[in-house]
Amino acid sequence: MVDKRDIHTAIRLNNRVWWCLYYDELYEADHFQCTFMRNADDGFYNCAQAVTRVDDEILDFVAKFYEPDFAPAVYVDPASPESLVSMLHARGYVPVPDEREFWYRYDLRDGLGHETVLKVDSKRVEVLRVDSERPELDDFVQVDQEANTLPDSIATDIHRNLRRRRLGDVEWVLLLALLDGKPAATAAVGLCQNMAFLAESGTVSGARRLGLNSLLNRTRLQVARDAGATVAFATTSSNTAARQTKVGLGFDLAWTRTYFRYSGQRPAR
């Protein structure tokens, strides 16, 4: 069971980690955060998060923050004020089912479970830890883009941000799996304080179902544990297969978040 006080801590740290990789802007206030990503084709990159106080002043700020680029949006989680949903409805916000987000948790204090079983000879596989200043970063981003069908604009942003962006309490560890010497799969873990956040997991089409994803997942969990993290988080959408994969890797569902977006009109009184 997750303490509600830990939910917003995890969300806020996750957004700091993701600013170093994805976001164009991260606005941090005492009672909420706003994330902004201009080239995103999914709304969940652009919304207010970790809202701990709800009033007209905050929701007015959120609306102005996203205009004219996006309709304002807010994530509601189990630690949000009880009045938040009703206030969003009153302002014309509606839930968007496809943007619902599932947070999975892995307690690193419990160890790492079973060893990974590769379906190819282990001699054919090599895992590299990619430094942002080395040529392998190009291979990492290329595989990530191909495996996760990322637009060119976002792949370019990731490459640039990994080279240039730094926050004092955030570290990204990038992993690249080679199959027969060729880049085949990626995984990354962002470290912030005592938490780890998993991202950029993907395998090119010709190397799937060989155990590379499981190998990289275990490797990055070990990296996080060695770095002093006590818990790791991974998020996914409502995609059933993705959720089953998280459970198969040993993660437990910790909480879900519902995405509310302004519909363009307030309900009649």
Side-chain angles (χ1 to χ4, degrees):
M1 190 71 175
V2 178
D3 190 312
K4 285 188 176 182
R5 292 172 296 183
D6 295 334
I7 293 176
H8 284 170
T9 297
I11 291 171
R12 293 184 73 100
L13 294 183
N14 179 67
N15 284 328
R16 289 179 63 79
V17 166
W18 276 63
W19 178 83
C20 292
L21 184 67
Y22 270 113
Y23 300 141
D24 292 306
E25 187 174 350
L26 171 62
Y27 180 87
E28 298 194 85
D30 290 340
H31 299 288
F32 66 98
Q33 291 175 314
C34 283
T35 56
F36 176 73
M37 186 174 175
R38 182 171 291 103
N39 293 321
D41 55 358
D42 290 309
F44 63 83
Y45 292 109
N46 295 285
C47 61
Q49 305 185 41
V51 178
T52 59
R53 194 189 82 201
V54 56
D55 55 36
D56 287 327
E57 181 182 357
I58 288 176
L59 293 181
D60 286 346
F61 177 90
V62 171
K64 291 178 180 178
F65 183 84
Y66 290 106
E67 63 183 23
D69 300 277
F70 297 98
V74 178
Y75 256 132
V76 177
D77 58 65
S80 300
E82 292 182 4
S83 60
L84 180 56
V85 171
S86 60
M87 196 163 187
L88 291 173
H89 280 308
R91 281 176 161 255
Y93 287 71
V94 295
V96 182
D98 289 345
E99 301 281 18
R100 190 181 182 196
E101 188 177 63
F102 296 76
W103 278 65
Y104 286 85
R105 183 179 186 274
Y106 195 108
D107 192 334
L108 294 169
R109 295 168 297 185
D110 294 339
L112 300 182
H114 302 294
E115 292 287 341
T116 300
V117 178
L118 288 171
K119 297 180 182 179
V120 295
D121 189 331
S122 60
K123 294 180 181 179
R124 297 175 56 192
V125 179
E126 181 182 5
V127 175
L128 303 179
R129 184 162 171 167
V130 178
D131 188 284
S132 61
E133 300 300 325
R134 295 181 61 185
E136 289 87 353
L137 179 63
D138 296 344
D139 294 329
F140 178 92
V141 174
Q142 183 176 350
V143 171
D144 185 22
Q145 180 177 15
E146 178 183 344
N148 294 302
T149 60
L150 299 177
D152 289 342
S153 57
I154 291 182
T156 299
D157 287 346
I158 290 174
H159 193 283
R160 181 193 66 239
N161 293 342
L162 285 172
R163 284 188 178 277
R164 298 179 183 176
R165 284 192 176 174
R166 299 291 185 272
L167 279 177
D169 59 349
V170 173
E171 178 188 2
W172 272 105
V173 177
L174 312 177
L175 301 173
L176 176 67
L178 307 181
L179 179 64
D180 297 327
K182 298 180 180 180
T186 61
V189 55
L191 305 170
C192 190
Q193 298 183 25
N194 68 329
M195 295 184 178
F197 302 93
L198 310 190
E200 305 315 297
S201 178
T203 306
V204 297
S205 58
R208 291 172 183 163
R209 302 185 187 281
L210 300 178
L212 298 181
N213 180 57
S214 295
L215 173 63
L216 289 180
N217 184 71
R218 181 181 175 85
T219 302
R220 62 183 171 176
L221 289 176
Q222 185 64 63
V223 167
R225 197 164 185 247
D226 292 344
T230 58
V231 62
F233 291 99
T235 61
T236 186
S237 66
S238 55
N239 181 290
T240 302
R243 291 163 56 194
Q244 290 175 341
T245 297
K246 296 292 186 297
V247 174
L249 292 172
F251 286 78
D252 296 317
L253 180 63
W255 67 82
T256 63
R257 299 199 293 174
T258 302
Y259 183 88
F260 284 78
R261 181 187 292 137
Y262 179 56
S263 63
Q265 59 183 6
R266 298 194 181 202
R269 292 183 179 274

